[in-house]
């Protein structure tokens, strides 16, 4: 079994789409082993997205991620990372496949409703950033 990290982003939570996204996650065979709704402060968002700190979108991204609550998740299944990325769809919803979360729910490339780890190394940083081992069941 593999684990991956996911976020239902502020745009989706604000529009009350979390339940629909969670339904899709479970329908795709993922086991939710960790989940909580939190409000990130800007410094916590900056720490999470530190790999993008030199990019021009960094400040806007951190402001967006800290503007309202998010739902952070740890998902488990075989090929969890690749399968979650497929279910999310392309970063730019205009390029996402029909039936993906981003195609169906995203506002635009900046407010694209979901985040997911892109590699095992990323997941190994992202999961403990938000969850202790005791919170994963």
């Amino acid at each position: 079994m593999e684990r991956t990290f996911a976020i239902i982003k502020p745009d989706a939570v604000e529009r009350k789409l979390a339940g629909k996204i969670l339904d899709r996650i479970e329908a795709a065979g993922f086991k939710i082993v960790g989940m909580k709704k939190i409000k990130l402060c800007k410094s916590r968002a900056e720490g999470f997205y530190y790999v993008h700190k030199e990019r021009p979108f960094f400040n806007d991204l951190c402001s967006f991620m800290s503007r309202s609550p998010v739902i952070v998740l740890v998902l488990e299944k075989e090929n969890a990372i690749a399968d979650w990325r497929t279910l999310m769809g392309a970063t730019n919803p205009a390029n996402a496949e029909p039936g993906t979360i981003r195609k169906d729910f995203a506002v635009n490339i900046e407010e694209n409703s979901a985040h997911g780890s892109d590699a095992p190394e990323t997941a190994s940083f992202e999961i403990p950033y938000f969850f202790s081992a005791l919170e994963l069941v």
Side-chain angles (χ1 to χ4, degrees), residues 47-106:
F48 182 73
Y49 286 109
Y50 80 96
V51 296
H52 300 302
K53 68 182 178 209
E54 301 303 323
R55 302 223 176 148
F57 60 82
F58 177 73
N59 191 51
D60 288 344
L61 173 63
C62 294
S63 293
F64 162 62
M65 290 300 293
S66 60
R67 83 177 183 201
S68 62
V70 299
I71 297 173
V72 292
L73 304 134
V74 179
L75 308 176
E76 183 178 83
K77 74 179 276 200
E78 294 292 331
N79 302 307
I81 294 169
D83 288 358
W84 173 236
R85 299 209 46 92
T86 298
L87 183 59
M88 282 192 305
T91 302
N92 184 344
N95 301 331
E97 292 293 321
T100 62
I101 290 167
R102 288 174 171 159
K103 185 65 159 187
D104 293 347
F105 301 128

Side-chain angles (χ1 to χ4, degrees), residues 2-20:
E2 182 176 64
R3 287 183 173 177
T4 192
F5 178 74
I7 301 176
I8 301 175
K9 292 183 176 181
D11 64 294
V13 175
E14 290 165 357
R15 292 178 292 132
K16 300 179 178 18
L17 297 172
K20 290 179 181 182

Side-chain angles (χ1 to χ4, degrees), residues 16-62:
K16 300 179 178 18
L17 297 172
K20 290 179 181 182
I21 293 171
L22 290 168
D23 283 345
R24 289 190 184 196
I25 288 168
E26 291 189 320
F30 289 94
K31 179 180 176 188
I32 299 171
V33 297
M35 178 170 65
K36 53 187 163 183
K37 186 176 188 179
I38 62 172
K39 171 89 169 58
L40 291 172
C41 64
K42 187 144 184 218
S43 64
R44 183 91 174 182
E46 289 168 346
F48 182 73
Y49 286 109
Y50 80 96
V51 296
H52 300 302
K53 68 182 178 209
E54 301 303 323
R55 302 223 176 148
F57 60 82
F58 177 73
N59 191 51
D60 288 344
L61 173 63
C62 294

